[in-house]
Amino acid sequence: DVNLISYPHTNALVIEANIQVFRIGKILVDTSSSADIIFSDTFDRMGIDRNLLQPSKFPLMGFGGKRVNAIGKMSLPVSFGDTANARTEHITFDVVKMPYPYSGILGRGTINKFEAIVHQLYPCMKIPAAAGVITVRGDQQLARDIEQGVTPGQKNVHNLRIDQKTSSAKEQ
């Protein structure tokens, strides 16, 4: 039942999720991220008052190696599945103001809370629920379109930083 444009591939897992009461697309599932993020333009389109945000204590690292401070954080219900078999968990999102090609990032916190298994090879995520397993399929074409729009003709690396001390020590 896998419907891929091409195989093998190196595409990111880009999905849709129900967050609060909204169907949000262009969400990157990033197993290397320790943060769950909603970008401020998506947050604002959801119509949630920014005054409801709680302070975020820790800066985020990894956006091109830069330190980014969230404008705040908020716990929101995230749901997967349909009326016959759904699962909802509250996820605390950092709200970040910066241009980014995705609406949000679901990191290890969400993956662990949902007890999800991420299958990069078959861009999908499997989530246990009361009436069976929920399969969340990624959109391979959308993932390709986003990467090509950000870095045309290049491979996209979200976080690549060389430690100068380590690099110098290895050269000696």
Side-chain angles (χ1 to χ4, degrees):
D1 62 344
V2 176
N3 187 16
L4 296 174
I5 296 168
S6 67
Y7 176 85
H9 66 87
T10 59
N11 303 117
L13 178 54
V14 180
I15 64 168
E16 290 184 346
N18 291 315
I19 302 176
Q20 191 77 355
V21 295
F22 301 96
R23 186 80 177 154
I24 306 293
K26 290 176 44 177
I27 298 173
L28 175 66
V29 177
D30 186 353
T31 60
S32 66
S33 176
S34 61
D36 297 299
I37 296 168
I38 290 182
F39 293 96
S40 60
D41 57 340
T42 302
F43 185 81
D44 291 340
R45 282 195 308 271
M46 294 169 73
I48 302 170
D49 186 350
R50 283 192 184 194
N51 291 322
L52 298 173
L53 291 170
Q54 300 297 311
S56 187
K57 296 178 185 175
F58 304 104
L60 303 168
M61 293 294 292
F63 294 99
K66 293 183 229 169
R67 176 181 164 154
V68 174
N69 290 314
I71 58 175
K73 66 181 180 177
M74 177 177 266
S75 179
L76 297 170
V78 176
S79 300
F80 294 103
D82 56 26
T83 55
N85 190 30
R87 180 154 172 201
T88 301
E89 299 287 349
H90 277 78
I91 303 298
T92 300
F93 288 96
D94 286 297
V95 179
V96 175
K97 183 175 181 157
M98 66 181 296
Y100 212 65
Y102 301 100
S103 301
I105 298 173
L106 297 181
R108 293 188 306 263
T110 298
I111 293 165
N112 291 343
K113 196 154 200 180
F114 276 97
E115 304 169 280
I117 301 297
V118 176
H119 297 276
Q120 284 294 152
L121 182 61
Y122 311 108
C124 73
M125 191 166 62
K126 303 272 187 169
I127 299 169
V133 175
I134 298 168
T135 300
V136 181
R137 298 205 183 282
D139 186 328
Q140 191 178 25
Q141 186 61 56
L142 179 59
R144 287 179 175 196
D145 292 346
I146 291 170
E147 291 232 352
Q148 284 301 308
V150 174
T151 56
Q154 302 177 54
K155 286 188 175 182
N156 192 7
V157 178
H158 290 279
N159 184 18
L160 179 62
R161 193 169 69 172
I162 298 171
D163 184 354
Q164 296 300 327
K165 289 180 182 178
T166 305
S167 179
S168 298
K170 286 181 181 177
E171 291 173 6
Q172 294 177 0

